[in-house]
Amino acid sequence: MKLTLGFSPCPNDTFIFDALVNRKIDTEGLQFEVLLEDVQTLNQWAMEGKLDLTKVSYGALQLMLQHYIVLRSGGALGNGVGPLLISAEPAGPGEDYPSIDDYTIVIPGENTTAHLLFSLAFPKAKKKIFKVFNEIEDFLLNRSHPAGKTAGVIIHENRFTYQKRGLIKLMDLGEYWEKQTGYPIPLGGIVMRKNFSSSLQIKVNTLIRKSIAYAFGNYPLLPPYVIQHAQEMEEAIMRQHIDLYVNDYSLDLGASGRMAVQRFLEIYEQGKKDPTNVNDIFIKI
């Protein structure tokens, strides 16, 4: 049986799925047709129900639950892993964070966790531009655009590179979430189409867990699959990326991980008469 599988080319995703898609583990008769795309594209496809299995942003999860159920393995969730708000210039003397409301904010996709976390911290900020995550640093450094004061929300490997380019952190949006809620930060998870049997869903979840265990078992060796898709990234940055985003929550969300996702849904659905029952969104194991 062949399943379509979408995830990003970032080192954490390729590290997680390498053993699965390259058959370094027994896939028990399953084959995977892989599509590598940025998270905003994957979110859009998930809202359309395009793929059998895909990485998505937890910040957009409510928009795709008509098609998908959430697996418990393969995601990115943890403490100190959230997006950062950065700028080419520090805030001026006497300025505080509410002044960000007057900035033009560059965000890595409208239907993303990064956008939701920014909106929680700055609900009055309205001047937003949406770009692919790896275009944001260049936009902030381009002084010729007419946007005025600008700031950007960065994710993935840009957490490790922005300072080298002279950019400045204004706020850690993940830290803000953790202080406000007490929960780890739910960045992205793996979802699978609801119309598959529960036995197949559990089988795929188990295979992803085995793929991660295989990767951890051979770490710090970087598989060629990770290096191939890391877009000229230094090996030290790849390892920083993996160390930050792949952890015990990637093996299994656990109770605290599921509660963090539930809190995301509650925030997204504030005021809704019939909120989503969180017990219905995860596979039963």
Side-chain angles (χ1 to χ4, degrees):
M1 182 179 186
K2 180 179 285 187
L3 300 173
T4 52
L5 166 61
F7 54 88
S8 82
C10 294
N12 61 305
D13 283 349
T14 52
F15 181 79
I16 283 172
F17 287 104
D18 169 52
L20 181 71
V21 301
N22 293 309
R23 298 194 177 189
K24 296 179 180 179
I25 60 171
D26 180 4
T27 59
E28 301 178 27
L30 295 180
Q31 299 177 34
F32 296 91
E33 179 186 339
V34 176
L35 295 93
L36 297 175
E37 288 290 347
D38 68 280
V39 67
Q40 175 61 25
T41 299
L42 295 174
N43 287 340
Q44 184 60 47
W45 285 355
M47 286 185 275
E48 299 166 4
K50 181 174 179 177
L51 302 180
D52 297 325
L53 181 69
T54 184
K55 175 81 172 283
V56 298
S57 298
Y58 280 126
L61 183 61
Q62 198 274 342
L63 301 174
M64 56 197 67
L65 288 176
Q66 71 272 30
H67 302 298
Y68 293 100
I69 194 163
V70 183
L71 302 188
R72 289 172 51 163
S73 297
L77 185 146
N79 299 100
V81 300
L84 305 178
L85 180 67
I86 66 168
S87 180
E89 299 178 1
E95 287 189 335
D96 54 15
Y97 288 126
S99 68
I100 293 296
D101 295 345
D102 299 325
Y103 280 50
T104 295
I105 309 297
V106 194
I107 297 173
E110 183 173 6
N111 300 308
T112 59
T113 300
H115 188 195
L116 179 59
L117 289 172
F118 173 80
S119 298
L120 286 174
F122 301 103
K124 295 181 181 179
K126 302 301 180 185
K127 295 190 290 184
K128 301 174 183 178
I129 298 173
F130 299 102
K131 289 186 171 291
V132 178
F133 77 93
N134 58 6
E135 298 175 351
I136 291 175
E137 288 184 356
D138 287 340
F139 183 89
L140 296 178
L141 291 167
N142 178 7
R143 305 304 176 90
S144 65
H145 58 66
K149 286 187 176 181
T150 58
V153 179
I154 56 168
I155 57 175
H156 299 324
E157 63 269 16
N158 296 114
R159 283 183 60 102
F160 313 117
T161 61
Y162 74 94
Q163 290 174 310
K164 292 181 180 179
R165 304 191 68 187
L167 294 163
I168 299 163
K169 181 176 74 173
L170 300 181
M171 186 178 190
D172 186 323
L173 297 173
E175 186 178 278
Y176 179 85
W177 160 269
E178 291 183 67
K179 287 181 178 178
Q180 293 295 312
T181 68
Y183 291 124
I185 308 155
L187 298 174
I190 309 300
V191 296
M192 186 170 179
R193 289 192 63 88
K194 286 182 173 180
N195 60 345
F196 290 119
S197 68
S198 60
S199 61
L200 181 59
Q201 292 166 355
I202 292 171
K203 180 177 180 177
V204 169
N205 188 84
T206 301
L207 289 175
I208 294 173
R209 185 182 175 99
K210 288 181 177 179
S211 185
I212 299 169
Y214 181 96
F216 277 148
N218 290 277
Y219 195 62
L221 176 68
L222 287 174
Y225 191 67
V226 173
I227 297 171
Q228 172 190 350
H229 294 291
Q231 301 172 348
E232 301 181 6
M233 198 183 301
E234 297 175 8
E235 286 198 11
I237 300 297
M238 296 181 212
R239 288 193 175 88
Q240 283 182 288
H241 197 114
I242 292 165
D243 292 342
L244 186 66
Y245 295 116
V246 188
N247 51 37
D248 287 343
Y249 288 113
S250 303
L251 286 165
D252 190 282
L253 278 172
S256 61
R258 295 195 299 276
M259 290 173 66
V261 176
Q262 178 179 358
R263 183 66 184 126
F264 250 26
L265 286 175
E266 288 171 353
I267 292 170
Y268 194 97
E269 297 182 331
Q270 281 179 352
K272 187 177 176 181
K273 291 183 178 179
D274 299 308
T276 301
N277 184 345
V278 73
N279 293 321
D280 295 334
I281 72 171
F282 296 104
I283 63 168
K284 307 297 189 293
I285 298 179

